[in-house]
Amino acid sequence: MDGPGFWDELWRTDPDGVEVPDQILAAELAHLAPGTLLDLGCGRGTNALALAARGWSVLGVDVSPQAVALARREAARRRLDAVFEVGELPGWTSARRFDLIISTFALPEGVAGNATLRQAAALVKPGGELIVAEWDISMQETWGWSDLDLFSVERIVNHLPGLAIQTAEVRDLTDLYQEGDPRAKQLTTNSAYAAVVRAARPSQKDGRTRQTDTC
């Protein structure tokens, strides 16, 4: 399993090469009213900070101290309501519960990923939501990765106890990396399939999830 030292080195030497450009969250969250947010595997905080700029109160967690330092520096520079902590997944936890939890291409491999999903589900407050995106198992042959590094929709869903599944689908992400990004040439294809799951914990009062902002 890749530990903090591995990720620290990547975030120190090539931060742009670690991060996956978002093609999912912007659309998923466009009409969701701000609240409390937990970003598991937040990296240098790009997604978390974008949401903090929209009014979310953000907590980001990442295994890499270097990534967390970058996130904290940017949050301070922009004076955003965002706190970042070093924490290894699974294992890190919080007494808080959150309106929204996101984890995008950040779950640890193997059974640790399953445990992290269960842990994330437990931290969703009544009426709150969880969004998970991971590289789909179908990319194994294309990329030559171990199946431990990849997820299926079914695998994600099976480790979200107590949550109602709203969306569970495989999405085709095209033009992953823009022209000029060296990763566009390093990969055998500049597109990939992602397993995307959105789930919610019904509120204790009436079974509904949080209201969205339709303005």
Side-chain angles (χ1 to χ4, degrees):
M1 180 182 296
D2 298 329
F6 172 84
W7 291 109
D8 251 9
E9 182 64 19
L10 286 181
W11 282 112
R12 183 177 294 108
T13 59
D14 187 21
D16 292 334
V18 183
E19 196 165 71
V20 179
D22 175 50
Q23 292 191 24
I24 294 172
L25 287 178
E28 288 289 336
L29 306 182
H31 301 296
L32 195 60
T36 55
L37 168 75
L38 173 63
D39 186 350
L40 291 175
C42 64
R44 61 179 173 183
T46 299
N47 292 330
L49 293 169
L51 291 166
R54 287 183 44 199
W56 289 84
S57 178
V58 170
L59 173 59
V61 178
D62 199 272
V63 68
S64 165
Q66 176 67 18
V68 168
L70 293 172
R72 287 172 174 168
R73 188 179 311 153
E74 185 65 9
R77 185 187 72 82
R78 296 168 62 182
R79 299 181 179 179
L80 294 172
D81 181 11
V83 174
F84 296 93
E85 297 181 5
V86 176
E88 192 159 2
L89 304 172
W92 178 92
T93 191
S94 173
R96 298 172 59 189
R97 297 296 181 266
F98 299 86
D99 294 312
L100 177 65
I101 298 177
I102 60 174
S103 179
T104 55
F105 308 105
L107 291 175
E109 66 181 13
V111 295
N114 301 341
T116 301
L117 286 167
R118 294 193 296 271
Q119 187 175 32
L123 295 177
V124 179
K125 68 166 52 174
E129 296 186 62
L130 169 68
I131 296 175
V132 178
E134 283 295 332
W135 300 122
D136 186 67
I137 191 68
S138 62
M139 298 305 300
Q140 182 178 9
E141 183 175 348
T142 302
W143 287 348
W145 288 13
S146 164
D147 59 356
L148 296 176
D149 295 318
L150 301 167
F151 286 76
S152 65
V153 165
E154 293 77 15
R155 177 182 169 189
I156 296 172
V157 167
N158 287 341
H159 293 284
L160 299 180
L163 301 188
I165 305 303
Q166 298 177 316
T167 302
E169 61 188 16
V170 177
R171 297 187 187 176
D172 185 2
L173 306 184
T174 60
D175 298 324
L176 281 176
Y177 305 112
Q178 296 180 354
E179 185 176 352
D181 189 318
R183 292 174 293 181
K185 295 182 179 180
Q186 292 169 359
L187 296 174
T188 55
T189 174
N190 195 26
S191 63
Y193 291 107
V196 180
V197 175
R198 181 170 184 160
R201 184 178 300 283
S203 67
Q204 295 173 338
K205 182 178 180 180
D206 56 10
R208 293 181 298 179
T209 55
R210 294 178 65 237
Q211 295 299 305
T212 57
D213 182 356
T214 56
C215 296

